[in-house]
Amino acid sequence: MEYEPLPERRPEVRSATGRPPERRPRRAPRSGGFWRHLWRWAWAYALGLGAASGVFAAAVIHMPQVEELEGFTPDLITELYDARGEPLQIYAVEHRMLLREGEVPELLQKAILAVEDDRFFQHGGIDLNGVFRAAAENLRAGEITQGASTLTMQVAENLFHTRGRDWKRKIAEALLAVEIEKRYSKQQILTLYTNLIYMSDGNYGMEAAAQAYFNKPVAELGLAEAATLAGIPQRPSTYNPFRNPELVTRRRNHVLGRMRQVESITAEQYQQAVNEPLLVVKRRPEKAPLGAYFSEEVRRYLEARYGAKTLYGAGLQVRTTLDPAVQRAVETAVRDQLLALDHRRGWRGPNLHLDDELESRDLPSWRGSELTPGTWYEGIVLRSSADTAEVRIHDQRFTLERDGIAWTRKQRLSDALRRGDVAWFRLEAGEDGGRRLLLEQEPLMESAAVVLESATGAIRGMVGGWDFERSKFNRVTQAQRQVGSAFKPFVYGAALELGFTPADTIFDAPVSFMGADARLSYVPRNYSGNHLGILTLRRALEKSINVPAVKLLDLVGVERVIDFARRCGIHSELPPYPSLALGSADLVPIELAAGYATFVNQGLHVEPYLVESVATADGRLLEEHVPQAQKAMDAEIAYVLTHMLEGVVDRGTGASLARLPLDLAGKTGTTNDFSDAWFVGFTPRYTILSWVGYDVKKPLGHGMTGAAAALPIWKGIAERGLEEGWIAEGESFTVPPGVTLMAVEHSTGLLPPAGAEGSVRTVREAFVSGTEPTRDYEFVWARALTLPWYQQRAFYIPKEGERMPGGRGGGDPATPAGETR
C-alpha cells in the first residue's frame, strides 16, 4: 500500500511489524454481540497469558539451539575449474556479504525498523501489545490475517527455519526470540537481521543486495535506496527491482511513508525521496563471467546428480571441459554477429530519458567500473547537434561524432539523441591515442553456439544467448527449433547406407506427396523457385536443393532415415512425413551438433559432456568421465558423407569458408519463414554449431539464410581458432580403408573421357569401394543439362519407385511447402 500523508495525525492501530492492518468495512451489529465480544477477548487474554508463560519458560529453561549462533559458519563453496585447471565459477546456497556489528548505517536501520518493527528498542523479543492486536484482528477475521513478528522473531525464523503460518510457529519463534534477546544486544540482533534476510535474486543480507541492485555498499546508500532495500524482505520474489520496478517503487514509497509517520525523516526528506527514479544497476554484458551459460549447465547437472544440499554445502571440486580460449572465441563471434545483424535493423532509441541533474547525477552502472577501451558504458547526453553530441560517463565528458552513429543511418546526430537521453556507448581507443565513442544498443535477436571436441564429446565452448543476465535460458541445451536443411545430411547418409553413391542422379522437378493430412498433398519447393532437372546427389546437397532431398527420403523410406538419425544421437521426436527431409522436426542444438560429430568420428557416436571429474573437499573422487562411444554407421559411409559435406564448403552454400586453410565440412539450415538460421560443420578435430533467431518465433528478415545469419559466427570461431593455434592449419580428414577416391565429371558423376583433361569439369569423389561409376561421360550431356527440366526428362531414367511429374504421386499442387536452404 502506498503511503499518502493525512491532513492531521490520527491514532492508528498497527501490527508489531509496523504495517497497518487491512481496513475492513464495518458490519451491522448482530444479536448476541456482548457474548461474542466477551468470547473473543477471553481468547485474546488467554493467548496473552500463554505468551507471557512462554516468556517465563524461556527465561528459566535452557535452549541449546541458540548456542549454535556462537559457531555459525557458512556452508562450503562448490568450485568449478576449466579444462586448464583455472577457477571458473563458485556456487553456494547463499550469496552473502556479512556486515559486522556497527556497520549497519543509521539510515538503513531507520528504514528497516519503520516498516518491520518500530518498537524494536522497547520490547524484549516479543511485543505483547502487538500480540494482543494481531490476535484480536485474527479472531475477528476468523483466520490468520496478521502476524505479530518482531525483528528478533524474524531473526529466529531465518536462523532456525521455523517456517509456517500457524500458532505453533509463532510460539517457537517467540521462545527463541526471548533467548536471543537475553544473549545478544539490540545492535547485534539488528546486524544478524541485515545479514540473514533473503533479498531476492539469490542475495542474502542487505550488503549483498546493495551491491547487486545499486553497485555500492550499504554505507553509501541514499534514503531512497535504503527504503528500497528495507521493503524487499516482505515478499522478495515480488519486490525484485530487476523484474518488477513499478511494484518496487510503490513499496519503497510505502517504506518512506512509514519513516515519515514514525518521524525518522522529515516531510521534506520524504518528498524528495519519493520523487527519485528507481535507479538500479543496468548490468553490462561484458560483466558476465566467462562461460556463464556453460557454468549454469554444469550447476544443473550437479544439482540433479548430487542434490542441492551437496552442491551448495559440500565444497565439491569440479573439473569441467571448458577451454577458456575456445569459450572466448565463441562469445566474441556471437556478440559481433548479433550486433552486426541488429545494426541492420536500425536504431530503436535510448534506454531512458532524464530531465534534471544531468551534470551531477550518477548512473548505477557506473559504480565500481573503470573506463576501459572496448567496454560498454551507459552515458548521459548533455548536448546534441547535427554533427556532434557531448556525452557524460562518470565524471568525464566525451564527444560523439557522426561516424559513431553511422550504423543508425541517421543524417543528423540530433535525430538519434537529444539532451537527457541515456544510451549505451562503446569506448574505443582512437588512432591518435585518444578515446572515441560509438553508439550501441542491445540486440533483440538471440543466438546459440557450441564447440564439441568430436572424438571425445567434450564441450569446449558454449554460448546460450546474447547475455546470461538478460536471459538464463540456454538455447544450446534447452531450446527446440526447426533445423531446416541442416537435417538433410541424415537423409543422404541413410541413402548411402542403402547403396546410393554421391554420383547417382535424381530428377529435380515439381512433384507432390501425401501430406500429414491425407486430404491434402504436400508439394516441396526449391528456395530459388526453379527446378534443375538431372542432378547428382552431390550437387543436390551442395546447393541444398529441396525437391531432391524429399524425393530421396521417399526412395529410402522415412523409417530408415529416422533410424539413421537416432543412431547419430538425435533423440527428439521426428515426424514420419516427407517434410522431415527439409528439417520440419524441432531439434535441440546440442543433439544436432553431436549428430554431425558422428560423421567426422568415422561413424562413432559420442554423447556430449561437460564434467571431467567431481571430488569432495578433501579430494575423494566421486566421478570421473570416460568417453563412451557406440557405432552408428560404417566408417566408409561416414567418410563419404563427410566428403559430400566438404563440397558444401568448397562449392555450395558454405562457400565463404572455402579459403580457410584446412579441411572443413558442414551444412547450412534455414526455415521457410527465415525464423531460424543455422550452420553446423566440423574440422578434423572440432564440431561447431551456430544458430540465430528470436525466442518468440518470427522472421529474422528476408534473405536471412543460414549462410547470411549463422555462418559468420561459425567462421569467426574458426578464424580465431586458427590465429590462436587451437585449430591446426592444414588438418585433413582421415580416409578409412574401404574408400576409393577418384575423379568424376561434376554434373553427371560419370567417368571423364580419356584425354579430355581441361575440357570437362571434374571433382574428386569418394566411393565405398566397389560402388564406383563405370560409364564414361559423353559430351551430349553438356547440351542436355542446359535444357529446361521438362526437356531433360527425355534423357533421364527414373529410379525404381521415384516420383516423377505427371506420374505416381504427381498432379496439381495443393499445399505448397516452404523453401529451406
Side-chain angles (χ1 to χ4, degrees), residues 24 56 60 70 74 141 154 159 174 181 198 272 282 357 365 397 441 505 529 531 571 650 757 803:
R24 294 178 176 271
F56 174 78
V60 298
E70 303 293 340
Q154 292 185 54
L159 275 172
E181 290 270 357
Y198 180 55
Q272 183 177 357
K282 187 178 286 291
E357 300 181 2
S365 61
R397 301 188 180 198
Q441 67 183 2
T505 54
H531 295 278
H571 307 297
D650 293 336
E757 293 81 359
R803 297 173 188 261

Side-chain angles (χ1 to χ4, degrees), residues 46 52 60 74 81 100 141 154 215 285 298 321 334 349 365 369 378 426 446 472 496 670 801 807 819:
V60 298
Y81 299 89
R100 297 185 180 89
Q154 292 185 54
N215 203 10
V298 173
T321 60
V334 166
S365 61
S369 64
E378 278 190 306
R426 179 155 48 96
E446 290 289 356
K472 293 176 173 57
L496 293 175
T670 314
E819 320 91 60

Side-chain angles (χ1 to χ4, degrees), residues 92-98 158 163 194-209:
V93 142
E94 302 163 350
H95 176 228
R96 192 190 306 279
M97 303 171 73
L98 297 179
N158 281 276
R163 302 294 181 190
T194 60
N195 284 333
L196 289 170
I197 202 73
Y198 180 55
M199 298 294 290
S200 190
D201 234 29
N203 299 297
Y204 286 78
M206 297 289 182
E207 179 69 6

Side-chain angles (χ1 to χ4, degrees), residues 146-159:
Q146 282 194 22
S149 292
T150 63
L151 205 69
T152 314
M153 291 170 69
Q154 292 185 54
V155 169
E157 176 186 337
N158 281 276
L159 275 172

Side-chain angles (χ1 to χ4, degrees), residues 745 751-762 777 779:
E745 197 277 327
L751 296 175
E757 293 81 359
S759 59
V760 295
R761 184 184 178 190
T762 62
Y777 174 80
F779 286 98

